[in-house]
Amino acid sequence: MNFEKRRFTTSPPTTFAEFILDEEKCTGCAKCVKTCPIQILEMKDNKARPNKRYREHRCITCQNCIAVCKQDAIQIKGDYRVHRGLFKNDDIFPDTKTMPEPIEEYKNYNFEDYEDKLTETERVIYKRRSIRLYKKKPVSRELIKRVIEAGRFAPSAGNNQPWKFIVIDNKETIDNLDMEIRNALRYITYLTVAHAERDKKTPGDMNARLSLWQKAILPWIVRKNPNDFDPRVTGGGINAPASDPDFHIFFRAPVLILLLSDYRGIGKTHLDTGICGQNMTLAAHSLGLGACYVGLIDAVRYSSKLKKMLGIKHPFEIITSIALGYPQGDLDKSVAREPARIDWLD
Ligand SMILES: Cc1cc2nc3c(=O)[nH]c(=O)nc-3n(C[C@H](O)[C@H](O)[C@H](O)COP(=O)(O)O)c2cc1C
């Protein structure tokens, strides 16, 4: 690894997207605040605003705030771009995000203008959003099974079908799991977050610095596991669920499906199980349900207490989880994404 990549493994020079609200249009419904996965918005004077708690600059640009806003009052301006170091991405994403462009001839049209030209499957793909606002209404086991059935028919390497499902549809058990995982995440924030910021529900010291021992250890850990220590994760991504008592990592969804994988399966079993999950989420949305992957369940991997609680045993390992339920209204809508990086070779 060259010198440049060794530098800026933590706190690299970064540009973050900006949340812009049209105050005239905002009705103060607070849906954008509730749907934000990293809780960077709050209600103030009956309007949605970026809060200082987890620093507005940690926006992951999922744009679900835009998707849930019926008034079209929100814009996310700019992109997440890292300019130097291990996480540098401004060279691989030189352009900004664009809306879906599946049909060349409708490239600059609104999605609604060409939606009827798409197949049913395409429509679900482009409009599916991670749902974080659920009704309390229970989902029947028959419907849950229907979602899992779509997963069962996913492709897998050598047809090895490594997946296994744990379904929890009991509120108390889901709440208990949420609490245990947030406790586990607190240990991670001790390592990754400036301690003056940690545990602060109200704004912490915005100039808080990592301690000397964190600065010494973190670069090594980050370089070894860049996926777990991306700057967006080590900021609000973990600190928010770990420290905010109102946060529920499963968004109080009535159903939680854990996806496990048999580690002895053929090839990349995590990939197979991910594909199975995507069949399930697409099927869920096509059935009028809402779903959201919750990768924070990964904390289970490091806790024998949690494994015991969930009955996860050899040869199965946890891969991810899917929160499931009836959405509070029609929340699915298309949003912009980073341009595809394509090398066409003759
Ligand atoms: C493997 C995986 C893990 C995820 N984990 C979480 C999570 O722990 N919490 C959360 O709120 N969203 C989680 N998400 C949802 C992503 O934030 C979301 O897919 C992304 O921001 C794009 O938004 P969209 O799904 O609405 O298109 C996860 C998604 C995937 C695929």
Side-chain angles (χ1 to χ4, degrees):
M1 189 183 290
N2 65 29
F3 180 68
E4 172 63 18
K5 282 200 182 134
R6 280 175 192 272
R7 299 172 70 207
F8 300 118
T9 41
T10 55
S11 313
T14 306
T15 309
F16 291 92
E18 207 185 330
F19 174 87
I20 297 173
L21 182 79
D22 184 330
E23 302 219 344
E24 306 247 299
K25 287 186 183 170
C26 175
T27 56
C29 74
K31 278 194 169 167
C32 56
V33 174
K34 290 185 201 147
T35 202
C36 176
I38 48 173
Q39 311 261 291
I40 55 172
L41 304 175
E42 66 184 357
M43 290 307 287
K44 218 172 179 184
D45 305 326
N46 206 29
K47 301 282 172 208
R49 317 224 181 253
N51 61 36
K52 293 211 173 77
R53 188 174 39 175
Y54 302 120
R55 302 183 179 195
E56 53 272 36
H57 60 236
R58 301 289 184 187
C59 174
I60 59 169
T61 68
C62 70
Q63 298 164 76
N64 280 27
C65 50
I66 297 181
V68 298
C69 181
K70 293 282 170 244
Q71 317 303 321
D72 285 331
I74 299 170
Q75 272 185 65
I76 297 291
K77 206 172 142 207
D79 303 287
Y80 168 77
R81 296 288 182 265
V82 184
H83 308 297
R84 295 181 75 179
L86 178 70
F87 293 100
K88 179 174 165 62
N89 73 352
D90 58 0
D91 49 348
I92 54 175
F93 287 127
D95 302 318
T96 191
K97 295 185 285 295
T98 55
M99 294 299 284
E101 297 169 340
I103 304 174
E104 190 62 29
E105 134 191 36
Y106 290 95
K107 207 167 169 177
N108 295 316
Y109 285 59
N110 289 329
F111 184 80
E112 296 71 32
D113 295 338
Y114 60 83
E115 196 178 342
D116 61 341
K117 308 271 183 295
L118 300 176
T119 65
E120 193 59 40
T121 311
E122 284 178 304
R123 253 177 259 152
V124 177
I125 289 173
Y126 294 120
K127 288 175 76 177
R128 174 215 58 84
R129 298 275 62 82
S130 290
I131 299 303
R132 301 184 180 90
L133 296 171
Y134 294 100
K135 287 183 182 160
K136 284 200 177 121
K137 182 178 168 183
V139 183
S140 71
R141 289 200 166 180
E142 198 185 339
L143 205 49
I144 300 172
K145 272 197 200 147
R146 190 161 166 181
V147 169
I148 292 176
E149 195 63 356
R152 185 163 79 92
F153 281 83
S156 62
N159 201 21
N160 83 106
Q161 304 164 62
W163 39 73
K164 178 183 167 170
F165 312 93
I166 297 178
V167 181
I168 311 175
D169 56 0
N170 174 303
K171 184 182 174 314
E172 250 171 56
T173 314
I174 296 177
D175 288 350
N176 196 11
L177 187 58
D178 160 68
M179 198 187 67
E180 293 287 348
I181 288 180
R182 290 195 295 122
N183 280 341
L185 290 173
R186 284 166 62 82
Y187 289 106
I188 303 176
T189 61
Y190 187 74
L191 178 69
T192 56
V193 176
H195 288 189
E197 269 185 68
R198 191 173 170 255
D199 278 357
K200 293 281 193 300
K201 189 171 174 5
T202 49
D205 176 1
M206 295 296 277
N207 298 313
R209 295 265 179 274
L210 295 172
S211 65
L212 275 179
W213 69 264
Q214 284 176 310
K215 277 188 189 158
I217 296 172
L218 264 176
W220 298 99
I221 302 176
V222 174
R223 279 201 293 274
K224 223 169 163 16
N225 309 288
N227 308 125
D228 288 339
F229 293 96
D230 178 285
R232 288 162 292 189
V233 178
T234 52
I238 299 181
N239 198 20
S243 60
D244 184 344
D246 301 330
F247 201 104
H248 195 292
I249 69 167
F250 307 115
F251 323 105
R252 298 182 174 82
V255 180
L256 181 68
I257 306 178
L258 272 49
L259 268 71
L260 315 185
S261 201
D262 182 338
Y263 93 105
R264 305 161 305 174
I266 301 169
K268 296 184 172 60
T269 52
H270 290 204
L271 176 61
D272 294 335
T273 307
I275 295 168
C276 163
Q278 191 57 1
N279 266 17
M280 290 164 64
T281 55
L282 292 178
H285 283 254
S286 74
L287 290 163
L289 292 168
C292 182
Y293 285 96
V294 181
L296 291 174
I297 193 82
D298 215 40
V300 167
R301 199 177 279 277
Y302 307 102
S303 161
S304 36
K305 180 182 172 189
L306 284 173
K307 273 191 233 167
K308 202 167 166 202
M309 174 181 152
L310 295 163
I312 299 176
K313 282 195 214 124
H314 175 86
F316 290 101
E317 54 180 337
I318 185 90
I319 303 299
T320 194
S321 65
I322 297 175
L324 189 76
Y326 288 96
Q328 285 179 25
D330 179 14
L331 305 174
D332 285 352
K333 192 175 167 188
S334 68
V335 296
R337 279 281 160 86
E338 301 287 7
R341 287 165 277 176
I342 310 175
D343 290 337
W344 299 94
L345 297 183
D346 288 328

